[in-house]
Amino acid sequence: MKPKSNQAAVGSIQCDNTTLNLLKVNDFVAKAIRDRLPNILVINVCSSPGSGKTTLMQETGKRLKGKLNMAVLVGDPETERDAIRMREVGINALQIVTGGMCHIEAQMIYQALDHIDLTGVDLLFIENVGNLVCPAAFDLGEDYRVTVLASTEGDDKPKKYPRMFLTSELMIVSKADLLPYVPFSVEAVTKDARDVNPDIQVLTISSLKGDGMDEWCEWLISKVEEKKGVLA
């Protein structure tokens, strides 16, 4: 699998400098994570702050209960509030406090694996730090990268932050229940995202109202089955 962090947007130039060398080390650790979790589907969930990632994780856990065993590694610069919210609804969660860093790196995930019980887990979410820039450059050993874009953010983000959408397999338009009240076009954001990444899939979801949640859970179940099927 080609490291997601090595994918470049059209027209960009990458230089062989210290940043590139850092990413090479990160990709080495990301491969070690994949080798360590051969039976678990890993999803890296990225977005801006306030897009609804944690609420999406909570509702996903409720809907998948009895169907898949799920765990979450949550990244934030400070506090354990999001992990506490997960545990309150019965989700196995561990907080990664980055201490001000604007992203999670593969070595943080590798260390965190020693502190979370993944026995019997089918699906591991990494809820990344809220940021559409830095997390795009760091492969965390995930099988899929999902970018959540809230209707309240505006529909111009894919071309402003192309690398995030280029390196994602799925874009979720969240807070769909607010679409009638905000200047956001699902058609326009989908077009821009597919101009950047023609293969990106798009789902429109309201975690609070339930719209699109069945399709999201079906997508997850199918990806878990695909991964386990490869090993069968």
Side-chain angles (χ1 to χ4, degrees):
M1 179 181 292
K2 181 179 180 181
K4 296 176 187 294
S5 58
N6 285 350
Q7 297 188 62
V10 175
S12 68
I13 298 174
Q14 287 185 304
C15 299
D16 189 7
N17 55 23
T18 55
T19 300
L20 184 57
N21 291 334
L22 170 63
L23 293 179
K24 286 181 178 178
V25 172
N26 183 87
D27 292 339
F28 177 82
V29 180
K31 182 182 182 303
I33 292 169
R34 290 189 176 95
D35 292 342
R36 188 168 173 178
L37 303 175
N39 300 302
I40 299 175
L41 184 75
V42 182
I43 306 287
N44 181 6
V45 183
C46 301
S47 79
S48 300
S51 68
K53 292 192 302 298
T54 303
T55 302
L56 177 63
M57 295 295 96
Q58 288 178 302
E59 294 304 312
T60 300
K62 292 176 187 177
R63 288 171 178 264
L64 290 178
K65 189 173 182 179
K67 299 176 182 178
L68 293 177
N69 291 324
M70 167 181 155
V72 185
L73 294 174
V74 188
D76 274 311
E78 299 292 344
T79 83
E80 293 196 15
R81 290 182 178 180
D82 286 352
I84 292 170
R85 287 177 59 188
M86 302 286 186
R87 295 185 200 117
E88 286 175 346
V89 295
I91 298 172
N92 178 17
L94 176 69
Q95 187 82 39
I96 299 174
V97 178
T98 67
M101 286 184 65
C102 60
H103 60 276
I104 298 175
E105 297 179 9
Q107 56 89 10
M108 299 178 189
I109 299 298
Y110 195 85
Q111 292 180 60
L113 294 178
D114 290 330
H115 301 279
I116 185 168
D117 183 6
L118 297 180
T119 305
V121 168
D122 304 298
L123 172 61
L124 175 64
F125 281 108
I126 300 168
E127 184 184 328
N128 217 313
V129 177
N131 185 344
L132 286 176
V133 182
C134 302
F138 290 85
D139 183 3
L140 302 183
E142 70 265 27
D143 296 293
Y144 297 96
R145 181 175 291 174
V146 174
T147 295
V148 180
L149 179 62
S151 62
T152 50
E153 295 179 65
D155 53 23
D156 58 351
K157 298 302 179 289
K159 288 193 174 179
K160 284 188 173 182
Y161 305 95
R163 192 171 190 176
M164 180 59 77
F165 295 87
L166 174 69
T167 59
S168 296
E169 284 80 19
L170 175 66
M171 176 177 71
I172 290 178
V173 177
S174 65
K175 304 186 182 181
D177 50 303
L178 299 180
L179 283 170
Y181 312 105
V182 293
F184 186 102
S185 168
V186 175
E187 181 180 356
V189 78
T190 299
K191 181 183 182 303
D192 278 1
R194 287 181 174 157
D195 283 347
V196 173
N197 178 0
D199 298 321
I200 198 168
Q201 295 179 261
V202 180
L203 288 176
T204 302
I205 285 176
S206 170
S207 299
L208 295 181
K209 299 293 185 180
D211 300 341
M213 288 298 297
D214 286 344
E215 291 83 355
W216 163 237
C217 290
E218 287 168 6
W219 186 86
L220 292 168
I221 290 170
S222 70
K223 297 305 181 186
V224 168
E225 290 175 347
E226 284 177 17
K227 182 159 188 181
K228 291 182 180 295
V230 169
L231 297 169

